[in-house]
Amino acid sequence: MKYKAIIGIAFLALAATSCKKAEENQTTEATFVLSDNMLKTTTTALATTQVVKNELTFYGKITADNNKRIDVYPLVGGNVAKVNVELGDYVKKGQVLAVIRSTDIADFEKQMVDAKSDLIVAKNNLKVAQELFEGKLNAERDVL
């Protein structure tokens, strides 16, 4: 009977301590809980071993330093045929930055060719007038 009493007390002590542990487990609070909306939008993936990539992706806007920039405007308009420099290149005075095909320049070149032709004709006319004046076949007024 003594043994039954000791076994009974041990059993009660064991039952009391095991109930206490269950209560302790129930009283622990969670520190982080996902809401229902977050659970709907959250996806998970298994962790895998991958090769480390030596690549970084950044988002932003790159602008030129306005203190070191000079705007260059062409004298005439037209289509850009060739660009000799890029953004960020150092340039020197007199360096050709771009080639522009312009109808204005083509018109100026045509006027220059016409003016050179007119000059040649005028020089020939002057030479003829001087020769006629020397032969007394022309008045001085025609030479002038």
Side-chain angles (χ1 to χ4, degrees):
M1 197 78 121
K2 264 186 180 182
Y3 291 115
K4 286 184 183 182
I6 292 175
I7 292 175
I9 292 172
F11 182 69
L12 287 174
L14 182 62
T17 57
S18 65
C19 290
K20 200 176 212 183
K21 285 183 183 176
E23 290 174 9
E24 287 178 9
N25 287 341
Q26 290 175 357
T27 60
T28 57
E29 295 181 16
T31 57
F32 179 76
V33 177
L34 290 174
S35 67
D36 292 337
N37 290 337
M38 287 182 74
L39 282 173
K40 290 178 186 175
T41 59
T42 302
T43 58
T44 59
L46 294 175
T48 58
T49 304
Q50 294 181 349
V51 178
V52 176
K53 295 179 182 177
N54 198 12
E55 179 179 317
L56 300 173
T57 303
F58 296 103
Y59 297 98
K61 183 178 180 183
I62 299 173
T63 59
D65 184 3
N66 289 333
N67 296 328
K68 295 183 179 180
R69 187 183 82 179
I70 297 174
D71 293 330
V72 177
Y73 299 103
L75 299 175
V76 293
N79 297 326
V80 176
K82 183 179 178 184
V83 178
N84 297 331
V85 294
E86 293 182 14
L87 182 64
D89 288 351
Y90 289 97
V91 295
K92 298 175 186 171
K93 182 178 180 181
Q95 181 180 349
V96 176
L97 304 179
V99 176
I100 299 175
R101 292 185 190 213
S102 172
T103 56
D104 296 337
I105 296 297
D107 185 45
F108 294 149
E109 287 176 349
K110 181 185 174 296
Q111 289 177 11
M112 183 178 70
V113 168
D114 291 344
K116 283 182 179 180
S117 298
D118 291 344
L119 179 64
I120 291 171
V121 169
K123 283 183 179 180
N124 287 338
N125 288 341
L126 175 63
K127 186 177 179 183
V128 168
Q130 286 175 341
E131 289 174 357
L132 289 174
F133 178 71
E134 288 173 4
K136 303 217 190 250
L137 298 172
N138 202 0
E140 185 179 359
R141 186 183 78 186
D142 292 336
V143 174
L144 293 176

